[in-house]
Amino acid sequence: MSSGSANITCRDAVIADTTACAGILNRWIDATPWMPRVHAATDVERYYRETVFADRAIIVADREGEVVGFLALSPEAYVTALYVDERHRRGGVGARLLREAKKRAPDELKLWTFERNADAHRFYEREGFVAVERTNGENEEGLPDILYSWYAAGGERA
């Protein structure tokens, strides 16, 4: 666990950050017993390089030159990925990344998270997100998931 996020800076990712971001995601998949690996690690890195970094805003949390977390934000204000390296979880890194996303999409953010990811539910709910929809697993992993939304103060709720 990190000692905090004081020495973390958030910045726009550059293509050289692809390997670090894909590595954080791949390590999370490998360490999560209920998460099926549907793509090889090398395919995940290629997808991030060719698609995610090309189509979305990527914000990285940087600690002294090391990428310790990242967030991918679609043009439609969906957080399509938010992952923090295990050594830096529970130290405010995810919250810092979400604050940056809220600056870029100041009215509303949405995201999907897996139903089994209780830690993510608690985190997003602490950050002001509310569950607005559930599915039975209409995703490539075949896992039930939940759509969360965050609205700026005074914004409408779905």
Side-chain angles (χ1 to χ4, degrees):
M1 179 165 43
S2 171
S3 61
S5 64
N7 56 351
I8 302 289
T9 58
C10 290
R11 62 171 172 79
D12 289 335
V14 295
I15 199 69
D17 296 322
T18 304
T19 299
C21 292
I24 290 168
L25 173 56
N26 279 317
R27 287 189 298 279
W28 180 83
I29 292 169
D30 292 340
T32 306
W34 52 262
M35 183 66 180
R37 176 162 287 284
V38 296
H39 300 286
T42 54
D43 291 338
V44 170
E45 185 172 344
R46 184 177 59 250
Y47 177 74
Y48 265 66
R49 184 178 52 256
E50 294 174 358
T51 303
V52 176
F53 271 62
D55 297 341
R56 299 175 193 139
I58 311 296
I59 306 163
V60 297
D62 185 299
R63 181 177 186 211
E64 300 170 6
E66 176 189 5
V67 173
V68 299
F70 72 97
L71 180 147
L73 182 62
S74 77
E76 300 81 24
Y78 274 84
V79 174
T80 61
L82 194 170
Y83 293 93
V84 176
D85 191 74
E86 184 175 22
R87 297 171 296 133
H88 299 278
R89 290 185 197 141
R90 293 177 175 76
V93 175
R96 294 270 305 266
L97 288 164
L98 267 182
R99 278 196 301 274
E100 290 298 317
K102 288 175 179 178
K103 289 178 188 176
R104 295 171 189 227
D107 297 323
E108 176 183 18
L109 286 173
K110 293 186 178 191
L111 59 87
W112 289 96
T113 189
F114 295 109
E115 187 177 86
R116 292 193 62 185
N117 197 345
D119 288 341
H121 304 174
R122 286 189 292 275
F123 168 72
Y124 291 123
E125 289 167 9
R126 272 195 317 270
E127 294 298 319
F129 285 77
V130 295
V132 296
E133 183 181 340
R134 293 175 181 269
T135 77
N136 290 321
E138 292 82 20
N139 50 56
E140 67 181 349
E141 295 86 359
L143 298 174
D145 54 3
I146 303 170
L147 176 64
Y148 276 90
S149 289
W150 168 83
Y151 299 89
E156 292 186 26
R157 302 265 178 202

